[in-house]
Amino acid sequence: MQDNNKVYGFTLSLYEYHKTIPTLWEATKRFIEKNPEYLPKDNAMAFISDDQGRSYNLCHFWSNFEIGDLDFWRSEAYTKFFEHLDQEGGFYYERWGDAPVHSIGVALFAKKEQIHFFKEIGYRHEPFQHCPQGQLHTKGQCWCDETDTFDYIPYSCTYRYDRLF
């Protein structure tokens, strides 16, 4: 990842339950309004919003398998964002978890090219599974069934990631 200037990698992406984060996006929008300088032009906003940031489509990278660059998590932009969210109280009063918070932060503050989908790594966390496809499956000697992959079923957000490119 370092050789290719990637700051975040994932294997699964899906929709969050709105009831767990009802005020997260409004808190995020308040941060964006006060700190627009932290958002690069070529970020991955389109992964998390269908209307240029007016609303959150609930997509997030599942954090059960993620690899992140600690320099990114310690960056001024992400640190200030996290401190802002902490002041808002949603970690305590709602259930703002690491997956939607990491995903929003990465989508907003990293360039979309810095986010990597590990197509070649099989991963299963009940009830979801990413299984490499085609040559990646054969080359990796995967045990998983190629037809049993979560990547492009309706509750997956992977197609949104693919549309960024």
Side-chain angles (χ1 to χ4, degrees):
M1 285 183 51
Q2 184 176 10
D3 291 346
N4 294 301
N5 195 31
K6 304 291 185 183
V7 298
Y8 187 81
F10 71 98
T11 57
L12 293 169
S13 62
L14 62 151
Y15 292 94
E16 180 62 276
Y17 297 111
H18 185 264
K19 289 182 180 183
T20 65
I21 56 164
T23 64
L24 177 58
W25 191 249
E26 290 304 314
T28 298
K29 288 186 349 184
R30 286 190 287 278
F31 180 82
I32 292 169
E33 288 171 17
K34 293 178 190 172
N35 302 279
E37 69 276 12
Y38 291 130
L39 280 68
K41 278 185 122 173
D42 53 350
N43 68 10
M45 173 71 85
F47 176 74
I48 58 173
S49 179
D50 301 325
D51 54 15
Q52 293 80 44
R54 288 187 294 283
S55 66
Y56 177 36
N57 64 23
L58 302 175
C59 281
H60 69 285
F61 305 114
W62 219 18
S63 59
N64 299 76
F65 182 100
E66 67 180 355
I67 298 176
D69 181 343
L70 291 177
D71 289 338
F72 177 81
W73 300 128
R74 295 171 180 149
S75 69
E76 181 177 327
Y78 189 81
T79 299
K80 287 192 175 200
F81 175 61
F82 190 88
E83 289 170 352
H84 168 80
L85 294 181
D86 190 35
Q87 292 296 313
E88 293 276 336
F91 292 114
Y92 181 76
Y93 293 108
E94 295 179 15
R95 204 206 87 192
W96 296 355
D98 58 320
V101 172
H102 285 178
S103 301
I104 291 170
V106 167
L108 294 178
F109 310 127
K111 295 177 181 178
K112 64 185 179 183
E113 294 83 16
Q114 293 179 294
I115 304 169
H116 181 71
F117 173 36
F118 287 107
K119 295 177 184 176
E120 69 281 10
I121 297 176
Y123 178 74
R124 181 170 190 84
H125 185 95
E126 291 295 336
F128 307 117
Q129 170 175 280
H130 162 67
C131 185
Q133 302 292 294
Q135 286 296 96
L136 292 174
H137 188 273
T138 305
K139 183 179 177 185
Q141 300 177 347
C142 296
W143 60 265
C144 58
D145 177 355
E146 284 183 87
T147 64
D148 182 18
T149 192
F150 182 74
D151 299 344
Y152 299 105
I153 67 167
Y155 201 68
S156 173
C157 291
T158 303
Y159 72 94
R160 291 178 184 275
Y161 171 81
D162 289 345
R163 285 193 324 210
L164 293 173
F165 303 99

